[in-house]
Amino acid sequence: MAIPEIDDNEVLVKVKAAAVNPLEMLMITGSVKLVQDYEFPLTIGNELTGVIEKVGENVTEFEVGDDIYTRLPLEKIGAFAEYAAIDATAIAPMPRNLSYVEAAAAPLAGLTAYQGLYEELEAQSGETVFIPGGSGSFGQMAVPIARAMGLHVIVSGNREVRERTLEMGASQYLDYNSEDYVDLLSNVDYVIDTLGPKEFDRELGIIKPGGRLLSLRTGPNKHFGKGRSFPRWKQILFALAGAKYDRRAKKQNVEYRFIFVRSDGAQLKEITKIIEENNIVPAIHPKFSP
């Protein structure tokens, strides 16, 4: 394929590494077609690291030779390629403590955590957030971000990363093999769900009245459709699809939210600082570890 041309607001990046996420599988199967409908054939891939080889006329913050990482804009993905033309507002300097391979696994999880905590939950210092299944890549990013916001962070996951998660700022860690969060927790302000629909009612049961449940997996709802300014017909479909979850949440006086993360270079710069300050290193499959 030809090297892409860039417009005045874009940079041309020589891709060094790209990450594979559950999101790629959802795109391949058409599971997120209503959220973001792409024309096929399509070069997929949502996050990457690389070196800038060319800058557009309006780009002043970056230069040729800069190492960057990004969650690509939803309307123009394509990380699984040698080159990518990327809007400069979607990129940020790559964390200095990470290799190209490690940094490629950070933007999507980091932005999901950042946007989830700040925008969807609007969490305030002193409040409590619980992340079931938070021992993976998302939890690695969400815990230090939440701690920096002054939140009390509770995580459940496998015992192997217990100490590491506590060191990053978790107040409490539950081993899911021997501890059931439903028996141990109550009246938490927020839950960030990474597990999906099967845990929905159990998660609702530990949230205080007026709290919020934010899911990365359960599915969109009415609030999601309105918040992203979709066409009216899509908003109606999202409202219908998420109605059962909204009803169940409302019965518990809890608000249900769903997130589909977008690109944001300014937020990614803040995430870079958190990664460097906490020496966060995303877990990479041993086959691809640098």
Side-chain angles (χ1 to χ4, degrees):
M1 295 178 69
I3 295 174
E5 298 292 331
I6 61 170
D7 66 28
D8 291 344
N9 298 310
E10 292 181 325
V11 296
L12 178 67
V13 174
K14 170 67 173 175
V15 178
K16 291 289 187 177
V20 183
N21 299 281
L23 182 54
E24 269 72 55
M25 302 305 294
L26 293 174
M27 288 178 175
I28 289 168
T29 59
S31 301
V32 291
K33 188 174 182 179
L34 275 178
V35 178
Q36 190 69 40
D37 192 9
Y38 295 103
E39 289 187 12
F40 288 80
L42 171 71
T43 301
I44 59 173
N46 287 272
E47 57 185 340
L48 61 79
T49 56
V51 180
I52 294 177
E53 291 204 350
K54 188 177 180 181
V55 297
E57 288 187 11
N58 296 337
V59 179
T60 58
E61 194 174 347
F62 297 93
E63 299 178 350
V64 172
D66 286 351
D67 290 328
I68 62 93
Y69 72 151
T70 182
R71 186 272 189 263
L72 291 165
L74 286 170
E75 66 275 6
K76 196 174 182 181
I77 62 170
F80 298 170
E82 292 180 276
Y83 290 90
I86 312 169
D87 192 293
T89 61
I91 66 175
M94 198 175 86
R96 292 187 296 269
N97 63 313
L98 300 181
S99 68
Y100 289 118
V101 168
E102 291 164 342
L108 202 64
L111 286 169
T112 302
Y114 195 95
Q115 291 169 18
L117 287 162
Y118 277 97
E119 299 175 1
E120 298 295 340
L121 296 180
E122 300 175 286
Q124 302 296 315
S125 179
E127 295 177 324
T128 300
V129 59
F130 172 52
I131 309 174
S135 56
S137 58
F138 172 76
Q140 287 184 79
M141 300 302 306
V143 169
I145 291 172
R147 184 192 64 176
M149 295 172 67
L151 296 168
H152 299 289
V153 190
I154 306 172
V155 176
S156 70
N158 62 66
R159 64 174 64 90
E160 286 77 10
V161 296
R162 180 180 186 277
E163 293 306 317
R164 170 66 172 154
T165 307
L166 291 171
E167 288 172 5
M168 289 194 305
S171 308
Q172 185 177 354
Y173 192 91
L174 307 178
D175 178 356
Y176 71 83
N177 287 304
S178 58
E179 298 172 293
D180 190 339
Y181 67 83
V182 173
D183 297 330
L184 299 171
L185 303 178
S186 62
N187 285 321
V188 302
D189 296 285
Y190 312 110
V191 170
I192 302 180
D193 163 58
T194 69
L195 303 175
K198 65 182 183 196
E199 290 293 310
F200 190 81
D201 291 318
R202 285 164 49 82
E203 291 165 349
L204 283 179
I206 66 167
I207 302 174
K208 67 169 57 172
R212 288 181 179 172
L213 168 58
L214 173 65
S215 181
L216 315 185
R217 296 187 59 185
T218 295
N221 64 341
K222 182 178 180 179
H223 181 274
F224 176 79
K226 292 182 67 175
R228 293 179 59 87
S229 301
F230 286 109
R232 179 64 179 162
W233 67 270
K234 275 195 178 184
Q235 293 187 35
I236 293 171
L237 286 179
F238 287 137
L240 291 172
K244 60 182 177 181
Y245 299 115
D246 286 336
R247 283 195 300 269
R248 283 148 65 182
K250 189 175 182 179
K251 283 183 180 179
Q252 301 289 335
N253 193 17
V254 171
E255 186 177 359
Y256 171 59
R257 297 281 182 96
F258 175 75
I259 187 171
F260 195 85
V261 69
R262 68 182 190 281
S263 60
D264 191 312
Q267 292 179 353
L268 206 51
K269 289 173 190 172
E270 296 301 312
I271 292 164
T272 296
K273 295 176 188 176
I274 293 170
I275 289 173
E276 291 176 345
E277 289 171 2
N278 293 274
N279 193 29
I280 297 170
V281 180
I284 304 298
H285 191 286
K287 181 178 178 179
F288 302 102
S289 295

